[in-house]
Amino acid sequence: MRVERSKIDGVLLFIPTPHRDDRGLFTRTFDTAAAEESGLDPARFVQDSQSRSRRGTVRGMHGRAGRGEAKLVRCARGAVHDVLVDARPGSPTFGEQTSVLLDDESFVTLYVPPGLLHGFQALTEQTDVCYRIDREHDPAEDLSVRYDDPGLGIHWPLPVSAISERDLSAGSWAQLRDRLCRPDAME
């Protein structure tokens, strides 16, 4: 398994080598040694979750206040356009965004460090995304920015066909940025 670093500080891509033959394929989707060599503690990840979305659906942009939340994200079926925004005020890449294609052909796993906003758009008719998360969910710590906020200018490759009411009512990047950068910001 190869590991690549993203332009956003702390973001990693775990890239396996699927073995293909006339039966299909076999690949590792997680490797403890590769995680440890990259500075991650695999035992920290306490919850596995999965979402299923139809083509054009956007989920995001979500984050966590407090200590944040680290995630390992992969697409088990179909393909997604996955987007990250650095929402860590002290980070050298604060406010920057990056995107990556996650799909069921390359099996890349994306490591999302605490303090980033995360979202994706389903690119296929049925898309399953798997998350391995390092903290139990606490709704009181949820952060969100509207998926089409002009302050972020995220380019979604398809017209948005579905989005939750929660995501439609999310605030702006400017509001979150101001909140995070206040001297009395949430720890």
Side-chain angles (χ1 to χ4, degrees):
M1 185 169 284
R2 191 173 89 246
V3 180
E4 290 184 5
R5 298 194 178 278
S6 168
K7 72 176 189 174
I8 292 183
D9 188 42
V11 174
L12 303 171
L13 297 169
F14 292 89
I15 304 168
T17 304
H19 301 280
R20 301 173 196 278
D21 63 24
D22 61 339
R23 298 170 296 169
L25 65 85
F26 174 85
T27 192
R28 276 181 287 164
T29 60
F30 184 74
D31 186 313
T32 297
E36 288 172 342
E37 288 170 11
S38 300
L40 302 182
D41 176 6
R44 281 185 27 215
F45 294 91
V46 298
Q47 177 182 316
D48 282 2
S49 300
Q50 181 170 331
S51 67
R52 177 164 290 162
S53 303
R54 68 179 193 270
R55 187 174 195 268
T57 296
V58 169
R59 293 181 184 263
M61 298 296 295
H62 305 146
R64 293 272 300 275
R67 294 177 300 150
E69 168 183 85
K71 295 188 261 192
L72 292 166
V73 182
R74 68 182 180 88
C75 185
R77 181 178 188 178
V80 296
H81 175 77
D82 202 285
V83 179
L84 300 174
V85 177
D86 191 341
R88 302 168 295 183
S91 169
T93 53
F94 178 71
E96 290 185 29
Q97 66 177 267
T98 192
S99 62
V100 63
L101 174 71
L102 300 179
D103 64 24
D104 63 4
E105 292 294 320
S106 67
F107 298 98
V108 170
T109 296
L110 174 66
Y111 171 69
V112 182
L116 271 62
L117 297 175
H118 173 249
F120 66 83
Q121 183 175 45
L123 302 177
T124 53
E125 287 308 317
Q126 191 171 57
T127 305
D128 289 354
V129 175
C130 300
Y131 315 79
R132 180 166 281 179
I133 304 166
D134 75 341
R135 294 181 57 207
E136 292 182 10
H137 182 245
D138 179 354
E141 293 183 337
D142 286 351
L143 301 174
S144 61
V145 172
R146 195 170 153 102
Y147 74 101
D148 60 353
D149 181 77
L152 291 178
I154 296 170
H155 169 73
W156 300 105
L158 300 174
V160 176
S161 64
I163 192 155
S164 72
E165 287 298 321
R166 171 186 169 222
D167 290 346
L168 283 172
S169 64
S172 71
W173 168 244
Q175 291 167 322
L176 180 61
R177 184 188 61 226
D178 292 349
R179 176 179 160 201
L180 293 171
C181 292
R182 285 191 328 245
D184 64 335
M186 295 175 62
E187 300 262 332

